[in-house]
Amino acid sequence: MTFYQLAFRYLEREKGKTVLLFMVLLLVNSMILSTVMILRATEDSKSAMQEKTKSKIVLDILKEEQRITENEAGQIRALKEVAFVNRMARGTARPSGFQVLTNSDSAKEENRLVSLFSYDDLENDSAFAEERYRLTEGQYLTSATGRGIVMNELLARQNGLKVGDMAGFETADGKTVTARITGLFQSGSEGKQESGTLSCARIENQIFIDNDTYRELSGDTGFEKMAVYVKSPDQLKTLETKLHIIMKEKVKMTASDTLYRQMKAPLEQITKVTRLMLVLTLLTGAVVVSLLLCMWMRTRQKEIAVLISLGREKAEIILQVFLETLLVFLAAVCAACVFGNLLAGFLQSMLTGSAASDIMLEVSLEFRDVISLLGLGALLVMAAAACSLIPVLRTNPKDTLSKMEG
């Protein structure tokens, strides 16, 4: 009879011991699976959080004549730590095809100009991100929308313009560009301005455009400000060092990752506690299972002696014990997965109801959690089985046989 046949026969014969080992391994596996699920959920939450917090380094020029050039912006964009950049510039221009909105009767040139603000992504780093302005119609300017204009709703209404219409601008030297209106906005403060305010300083005459349109109008004059978004907040220090090399001393750098650090703290606390629980579970499980198997091996001395007397090799006996333990372990893993799936909701409500209430943890059973359980649990039971077999490996076969005579 082969060793695996003997393993199945033993488990079938010793039903009480099999059930006891199954219950112990079920408890240990459930603890391991719960901690693995929590650890994986915190890692997933951390990855999602890194994207949502949008950590960045903001570059502000120190001198007007030393703007950030397109070449420097290209070098920064090419850095491996950079997710994307948001270039920002501002200027003034005369409207072409529409009139400014003003209550001032000043004859100054500034009272015939609109203020232009250019962005790569208008939804970030602007008055819209600070919620001082709100989009009432259309969409923000992004790299996906291409060229476009976001205009104040009152200015558009006065000139009979709407989303989809074309609007133009003209510089002092006669250069003209046109772009399509992609969105309209309001601030709510338009009526609170002084009546004598010049047109270029009025909110109604603030117009947001894309950087391609701005560069075509003003030439390659560079950018006043640039937000450099990092792929991972942990890379901020590295990115800051590389930015210093590119920009030298021409800009002031301000790192912005406060939100990430605030949200990261409770996650790190959960991770530390869970890792400690996992280590304690593995150590406790290994000790309990080892003691249980060692007690059973003492009662199997006669069985082992008979097998050796029949010519069985120690290697076959070792394989039999390993197989017995692994079979019960696999059954316990299946039961632990069912139990863990039911427990996931309770774990999530317990964690999100504590110090981590400001973050979202999605605790659920996934295939990689099962793989982790199989790996950690298999190491545990193999180590326990090996410990229980030490007396068998160290005992001389003659000494084992002599015990039968007693």
Side-chain angles (χ1 to χ4, degrees), residues 226-245:
M226 186 164 66
V228 184
Y229 287 84
V230 67
K231 292 179 180 177
S232 170
D234 298 329
Q235 299 174 327
L236 272 176
K237 290 294 184 183
T238 303
L239 178 59
E240 188 173 1
T241 301
K242 292 184 178 182
L243 291 177
H244 272 296
I245 296 174

Side-chain angles (χ1 to χ4, degrees), residues 70-91:
E70 181 61 31
N71 179 52
E72 291 167 337
Q75 292 181 55
I76 293 172
R77 192 185 291 109
L79 296 175
K80 64 179 182 179
E81 294 85 6
V82 175
F84 68 95
V85 299
N86 197 9
R87 302 167 297 170
M88 292 162 271
R90 61 182 175 178

Side-chain angles (χ1 to χ4, degrees), residues 279-330:
V279 172
L280 292 176
T281 299
L282 291 173
L283 290 176
T284 304
V287 170
V288 172
V289 176
S290 296
L291 290 175
L292 185 62
L293 292 178
C294 286
M295 291 173 59
W296 290 359
M297 288 303 297
R298 291 176 62 87
T299 64
R300 299 180 67 178
Q301 293 293 321
K302 291 184 178 181
E303 175 189 347
I304 293 173
V306 170
L307 290 174
I308 292 176
S309 66
L310 294 175
R312 292 281 181 179
E313 298 291 335
K314 285 186 177 181
E316 291 183 287
I317 297 174
I318 294 171
L319 289 174
Q320 177 185 337
V321 173
F322 277 166
L323 181 59
E324 293 167 359
T325 309
L326 286 175
L327 288 173
V328 180
F329 166 71
L330 291 176

